[in-house]
Amino acid sequence: MTSAATSTEPRPDVIQLDGVTKKFGSAPPALDGVTASIRGGEITGLVGPDGAGKTTLIRLMTGLMLPDAGTIDVLGHDTRTDAARIQAEIGYMPQRFGLYEDLSVQENLDLYADLRGLEKADRPAVFDELLTFTDLKRFTARLAGKLSGGMKQKLGLACALLKKPRLLLLDEPGVGVDPISRRDLWKMVEALTAEGIGVLWATAYLDEAEACDRVLLLNQGKLLYAGLPSGLTERVAGRVFKLTGIAGRRRTLLAHTLDEKSVVDGVIQGEAIRLVLKEGSDPATLLPRDAGADARVVPTAPRFEDAFVDMLGGGPGGRSKLAETTLARPAGDGRPVIEARGLTKTFGDFTAAADITFDVPRGEIFGLLGPNGAGKSTTFKMLCGLLKPTLGEGRVAGFDLRRDGAEARNRLGYMAQKFSLYGDLSVTQNLAFFAGAYGLAGARKRERIALMTEIFDLGPHASLNSKDLPLGLKQRLALACAVMHEPEALFLDEPTSGVDPITRREFWAHINGLVEKGVTVLVTTHFMEEAEYCDRISLIDRGRSIALGPPDALKARVATPKNPDPTMEDAFVALVQSSNERAAA
């Protein structure tokens, strides 16, 4: 992702925030004395962990809510007195898809044109321009609910732009969108800034934040940083290293390393471990004696995410209470825990997945990647027994999913792409329901519910309905329900979509710990840094596997003299584009 275009000329402020405070009941302030500005003709990134106040701040800017203290000036209007004028002059994309899924693309445009008061005589030209801009002309008759994640976001952007705004507010537009569609979305928004439109882009993807002209970093309602992304990244210059050439299990070494007082943060990065150290720490002390003769500690360029985690006080550490309370699984007979043999699924004359073949041994993390609509979720659902394959065979823990579906499902845990628990049930009621669904009863059921409540710190929220939980807590609850019965295989469908890096690290500390105990994991993700955590990856496009191998091997396939060290996102984009070119030839 390229950086947004910048200019040395001063740009006018489109938003001025002065001492903005917002409270909800007796809880600590959602926003606490925030003072900042947002300029026209620039993309300003709004970042922060879950619950930092990002969505509250955006809603205050739209005039949908009013601050308890301080002032917000938007395009020269005070939100307290001129909310209607502000709403007429801005474009706004909320965090959740705000369109009507049972209406077509064209019907959604018609409806929002009515709501925005767009003159009927102007509509044909405006619709044509926006449909061309978003590449949705071919899909005007398709129901919005049938669009891929990336196409939904493009339609949402088109509706926000029906009356050309001077300011565009985007609340996490890239969530659930594959890297190619995110790049397309980014290019569209960059084109708008060239016309002088100011853009606020709230995001959980910190590579997006790094490409913004400026960033605002919120935490617990306070503004911790406002300025150039590079200004934040420079905080950790000289403190970021990779452990390479490691012998033995990377995940075990990472967990131990994160317990070191000198280590601020650490993640798996392909075959290496990426670490951020405290000021003055000696990286040489991090290599254990049994790391192997080829093990090295080498400096590496800092990323915005490294500085983000450092400013928030570091990651959550490497220990997992969940893994510590899970019994290690015996090595077994050497057979794969998850097997796909020629899996094919057709819907009428449409083939969603074709001849998918791979197997996953015990204690491995296997990733399914692909663009929106590529067939990875179809493959995923066939392997966890939610879809019956048209052809081929799938096995989990030795059980055939066609003949022994119930036995197979009892051996696996499933965490759905969209929050799939029961919104009108409390946290405790959801835990009890899923414990029963997985066959737990009596003292064992009570013991596991109590343990999950403790491990995931759900006690303070036990009586809340799950639909009212913040996203990070929803994900904790969903994972708790999926591992309630200590499954052999864990199926994770975009498990950290939309959550911040701190929550993501907490989540993966549990997953890494379970894998070290012999649990096998199948995961889909659009977050390419997360893809690096996998041992192997199958990249799926147009229903077929187009690449299979470890993350570092896939990156090496697309390395060039101009880009000798590509990212996982670079590999994803290049491999999909190459596959499309072969298909078109």
Side-chain angles (χ1 to χ4, degrees):
M1 188 170 291
T2 58
S3 296
T6 58
S7 170
T8 57
E9 296 181 8
R11 299 223 169 104
D13 291 339
V14 291
I15 298 179
Q16 287 273 9
L17 307 168
D18 187 8
V20 174
T21 297
K22 183 65 180 178
K23 297 180 180 179
F24 297 98
S26 60
L31 293 168
D32 191 359
V34 174
T35 297
S37 61
I38 294 165
R39 300 172 184 167
E42 289 186 351
I43 300 176
T44 300
L46 181 61
V47 297
D50 294 328
K54 301 186 296 294
T55 295
T56 298
L57 183 57
I58 290 178
R59 289 177 67 82
L60 287 170
M61 291 173 180
T62 65
L64 294 172
M65 295 191 304
L66 297 178
D68 296 316
T71 59
I72 305 175
D73 183 286
V74 178
L75 302 173
H77 309 303
D78 190 312
T79 58
R80 293 181 186 276
T81 57
D82 295 319
R85 292 186 66 182
I86 290 169
Q87 290 159 10
E89 295 184 31
I90 68 172
Y92 171 46
M93 270 183 68
Q95 188 173 12
R96 295 175 182 171
F97 183 59
L99 305 177
Y100 293 86
E101 299 208 354
D102 55 351
L103 296 182
S104 69
V105 168
Q106 186 61 58
E107 287 168 339
N108 268 286
L109 288 172
D110 291 336
L111 174 61
Y112 275 83
D114 289 339
L115 294 174
R116 297 303 300 269
L118 183 64
E119 295 291 338
K120 290 190 180 294
D122 297 332
R123 293 185 187 189
V126 171
F127 289 167
D128 183 72
E129 180 184 1
L130 289 173
L131 290 169
T132 301
F133 180 60
T134 57
D135 195 26
L136 289 174
K137 273 190 174 181
R138 297 166 291 162
F139 307 103
T140 53
R142 184 175 295 185
L143 294 182
K146 300 295 185 183
L147 298 175
S148 69
M151 292 166 70
K152 285 181 178 179
Q153 295 301 73
K154 290 178 183 179
L155 177 56
L157 181 61
C159 290
L161 296 173
L162 279 166
K163 294 186 76 172
K164 187 77 76 173
R166 294 170 56 197
L167 170 67
L168 183 60
L169 304 176
L170 305 174
D171 196 356
E172 302 200 11
V175 168
V177 177
D178 69 74
I180 294 174
S181 296
R182 279 205 295 135
R183 288 189 177 189
D184 289 343
L185 196 63
W186 185 264
K187 289 175 184 176
M188 292 177 196
V189 174
E190 273 194 318
L192 297 173
T193 64
E195 300 179 32
I197 295 171
V199 177
L200 181 71
W201 184 305
T203 182
Y205 295 95
L206 296 190
D207 60 329
E208 290 179 348
E210 195 162 20
C212 291
D213 294 292
R214 293 195 308 143
V215 292
L216 305 176
L217 171 56
L218 287 175
N219 187 41
Q220 296 180 343
K222 293 186 179 293
L223 183 65
L224 300 187
Y225 178 81
L228 299 175
S230 58
L232 190 65
T233 305
E234 288 167 3
R235 288 171 45 94
V236 293
R239 295 197 278 132
V240 186
F241 298 87
K242 279 187 184 180
L243 304 186
T244 65
I246 303 163
R249 302 285 290 185
R250 297 163 297 154
R251 296 184 181 93
T252 301
L253 178 56
L254 173 64
H256 291 320
T257 303
L258 287 172
D259 287 336
E260 297 287 337
K261 292 182 179 179
S262 62
V263 177
V264 173
D265 183 37
V267 294
I268 299 290
Q269 191 172 3
E271 294 299 321
I273 295 175
R274 183 185 187 90
L275 297 172
V276 181
L277 305 188
K278 291 182 179 178
E279 290 277 7
S281 299
D282 181 4
T285 62
L286 298 176
L287 272 182
R289 293 178 181 177
D290 58 354
D294 295 328
R296 298 286 185 274
V297 183
V298 295
T300 191
R303 301 185 305 207
F304 186 87
E305 182 165 317
D306 301 324
F308 175 95
V309 176
D310 178 67
M311 178 162 268
L312 295 181
R319 290 186 62 222
S320 165
K321 290 182 182 179
L322 177 63
E324 290 170 359
T325 59
T326 299
L327 294 175
R329 297 190 174 276
D333 57 6
R335 292 184 60 183
V337 175
I338 301 172
E339 300 173 75
R341 295 283 179 269
L343 280 180
T344 299
K345 183 64 180 178
T346 59
F347 298 94
D349 59 358
F350 173 69
T351 301
D355 195 27
I356 303 294
T357 298
F358 61 81
D359 50 49
V360 190
R362 187 175 302 281
E364 181 174 287
I365 300 177
F366 189 90
L368 289 178
L369 305 187
N372 293 112
K376 60 186 182 301
S377 288
T378 299
T379 302
F380 188 92
K381 289 176 181 177
M382 284 191 285
L383 281 168
C384 56
L386 295 176
L387 273 180
K388 185 177 181 180
T390 306
L391 296 171
E393 179 182 74
R395 289 178 173 270
V396 174
F399 292 100
D400 188 298
L401 287 163
R402 286 180 182 273
R403 297 192 304 268
D404 309 307
E407 289 86 349
R409 283 191 290 273
N410 284 336
R411 303 296 186 96
L412 63 89
Y414 173 60
M415 188 171 165
Q417 181 178 5
K418 294 181 180 177
F419 185 63
S420 60
L421 306 180
Y422 292 91
D424 291 327
L425 295 184
S426 70
V427 168
T428 299
Q429 288 168 334
N430 267 290
L431 290 170
F433 174 83
F434 279 90
Y438 284 126
L440 302 180
R444 176 64 171 163
K445 178 178 178 179
R446 293 191 294 274
E447 173 191 316
R448 293 298 294 177
I449 290 173
L451 187 60
M452 294 301 104
T453 301
E454 177 190 352
I455 287 172
F456 291 98
D457 194 25
L458 297 171
H461 319 282
S463 62
L464 289 178
N465 284 355
S466 63
K467 66 183 179 183
D468 298 324
L469 297 174
L471 179 58
L473 277 172
K474 285 182 178 179
Q475 300 299 76
R476 281 190 202 173
L477 176 58
L479 180 59
C481 290
V483 299
M484 180 80 66
H485 57 306
E486 298 187 275
E488 286 187 51
L490 193 54
F491 287 71
L492 307 172
D493 197 1
E494 296 189 33
T496 61
S497 180
V499 304
D500 64 83
I502 303 296
T503 304
R504 190 180 304 123
R505 280 157 172 71
E506 175 190 326
F507 183 95
W508 279 96
H510 292 307
I511 301 305
N512 288 336
L514 289 175
V515 168
E516 291 306 296
K517 289 293 185 76
V519 176
T520 302
V521 175
L522 183 70
V523 61
T524 72
T525 182
H526 284 315
F527 184 72
M528 292 298 101
E529 302 302 330
E530 192 167 83
E532 300 256 24
Y533 307 166
C534 299
D535 295 290
R536 289 184 301 141
I537 288 168
S538 175
L539 181 56
I540 296 174
D541 186 38
R542 301 187 183 193
R544 296 184 177 275
S545 179
I546 61 171
L548 176 65
D552 285 353
L554 299 189
K555 289 187 288 184
R557 283 179 56 175
V558 304
T560 65
K562 288 185 177 180
N563 187 12
D565 188 22
T567 65
M568 194 63 223
E569 181 170 314
D570 293 333
F572 180 104
V573 173
L575 290 169
V576 170
Q577 288 178 341
S578 176
S579 172
N580 289 342
E581 288 168 3
R582 289 196 301 272

